[in-house]
């Protein structure tokens, strides 16, 4: 990969302002460790993102998507290629009664609180999950028996060929800590969730209860990646030492 050629291409495409080179990733992860990314990009809108994906394909540069940088353990040697961190337009939220259309970059904790304000139930489990929506969908984030699969209706994503596609819940094949978009060269753009009308006091009480449960196993005053290990069938990963 010739960085000078990439810089020229980014300049031609008018996206130099959203690109960083040899960017330390310890500034972008909750564990505060890890080496640098060859190229780090924070697209503000779909047009910027399409240009970045086009350049990555034309120059055969692999890309990875980073949300809030939680649940990530990055090698000291860093990441070769391109890291995409969604910004601005990818953090929009549109409420329509019980249906929410949300950008992939939005924080789950923020989303949970916004649902509470509108007396919508279904995201109480997400209140103490530090990640962003995109990663939560890819990994089917869960807590106390509830998960993203319970509320996701469809997901819109960008392919490496720069096509925008939509996939329904039934075709996502949600499973424990995964769905069928995991490992694919795609960028989740947004998702539609379906919640339920609820009692605000009951929703708030459940959120507080979940936060207290989290505090007993994951201290909030220290660098943490949240729940990072998959549980083996019939056990909790925390039981092994």
């Amino acid at each position: 990969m010739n960085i000078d050629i990439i810089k020229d291409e980014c300049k031609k495409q008018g996206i130099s302002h959203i690109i960083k080179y040899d960017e330390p990733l310890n500034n972008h992860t909750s564990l505060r460790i890890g080496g640098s990314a060859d190229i780090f990009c924070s697209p503000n809108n779909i047009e910027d993102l399409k240009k970045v994906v086009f350049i990555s394909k034309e120059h055969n540069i692999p890309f990875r998507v980073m949300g809030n940088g939680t649940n990530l353990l990055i090698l000291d040697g860093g990441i070769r290629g391109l890291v995409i961190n969604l910004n601005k337009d990818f953090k929009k939220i549109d409420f329509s009664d019980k249906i929410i259309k949300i950008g992939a970059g939005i924080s789950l904790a923020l989303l949970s609180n916004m649902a509470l304000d509108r007396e919508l139930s279904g995201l109480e489990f997400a209140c103490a999950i530090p990640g962003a929506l995109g990663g939560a969908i890819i990994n089917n984030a869960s807590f106390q028996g509830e998960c993203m699969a319970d509320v996701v209706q469809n997901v819109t994503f960008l392919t490496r060929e720069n096509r925008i596609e939509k996939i329904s819940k039934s075709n996502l094949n949600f499973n424990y800590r995964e769905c069928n978009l995991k490992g694919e060269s795609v960028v989740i753009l947004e998702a539609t969730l379906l919640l339920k009308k609820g009692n605000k006091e009951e929703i708030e009480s459940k959120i507080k209860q979940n936060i207290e449960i989290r505090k007993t196993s994951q201290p909030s005053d220290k660098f943490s990646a949240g729940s990072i290990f998959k549980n083996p069938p019939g056990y909790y990963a925390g039981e092994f030492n």
Side-chain angles (χ1 to χ4, degrees):
M1 178 174 57
N2 189 315
I3 290 295
D4 289 332
I5 292 177
I6 303 303
K7 287 181 178 180
D8 287 342
E9 186 68 30
C10 289
K11 187 175 181 179
K12 289 177 185 176
Q13 295 285 349
I15 56 172
S16 296
H17 62 292
I18 61 169
I19 304 289
K20 294 180 180 179
Y21 300 94
D22 198 27
E23 173 69 6
L25 293 175
N26 59 349
N27 296 328
H28 301 278
T29 64
S30 60
L31 286 174
R32 299 294 188 268
I33 61 174
S36 299
D38 291 335
I39 308 171
F40 186 88
C41 173
S42 298
N44 295 316
N45 50 56
I46 186 62
E47 289 77 19
D48 286 350
L49 178 60
K50 281 188 169 183
K51 291 175 182 178
V52 170
V53 171
F54 171 79
I55 291 172
S56 75
K57 184 182 179 185
E58 285 296 296
H59 295 275
N60 198 29
I61 302 171
F63 71 76
R64 298 172 183 266
V65 182
M66 175 186 288
N68 286 359
T70 57
N71 225 359
L72 288 178
L73 184 61
I74 297 174
L75 295 173
D76 291 340
I79 295 178
R80 305 286 68 80
L82 167 68
V83 173
I84 298 172
N85 179 240
L86 300 179
N87 206 355
K88 291 191 177 178
D89 278 8
F90 301 102
K91 296 185 178 182
K92 291 183 176 180
I93 305 177
D94 179 30
F95 284 88
S96 179
D97 194 25
K98 296 177 288 185
I99 298 173
I100 319 174
K101 184 177 287 187
I102 319 148
I106 197 72
S107 157
L108 280 190
L110 174 62
L111 182 59
S112 178
N113 284 324
M114 293 183 76
L116 166 65
D117 290 340
R118 289 163 176 77
E119 300 184 10
L120 293 173
S121 176
L123 285 171
E124 293 91 334
F125 77 94
C127 63
I129 297 177
L133 179 71
I137 291 172
I138 289 287
N139 294 294
N140 192 20
S142 63
F143 184 67
Q144 294 292 294
E146 298 177 79
C147 62
M148 292 304 300
D150 298 333
V151 294
V152 170
Q153 297 301 296
N154 59 65
V155 175
T156 303
F157 59 92
L158 184 71
T159 70
R160 189 164 177 79
E161 290 71 36
N162 256 336
R163 295 193 308 269
I164 295 178
E165 299 184 4
K166 182 179 287 188
I167 185 171
S168 66
K169 175 180 179 176
S170 60
N171 291 320
L172 280 165
N173 296 325
F174 279 112
N175 210 326
Y176 176 61
R177 291 290 183 267
E178 64 181 17
C179 72
N180 64 4
L181 291 180
K182 192 167 188 174
E184 298 294 323
S185 293
V186 301
V187 183
I188 292 182
L189 305 176
E190 64 180 24
T192 301
L193 310 187
L194 177 62
L195 304 183
K196 300 175 182 177
K197 281 291 184 182
N199 177 278
K200 188 170 185 177
E201 290 183 358
E202 292 178 359
I203 296 170
E204 188 170 24
S205 175
K206 191 171 182 180
I207 286 176
K208 289 180 178 178
Q209 181 182 358
N210 285 341
I211 290 174
E212 288 304 311
I213 293 172
R214 279 283 185 187
K215 286 180 179 178
T216 63
S217 60
Q218 298 169 22
S220 58
D221 60 338
K222 295 181 174 60
F223 294 148
S224 169
S227 180
I228 196 168
F229 296 106
K230 291 178 69 173
N231 293 323
Y235 295 92
Y236 289 102
E239 294 177 343
F240 296 90
N241 53 47

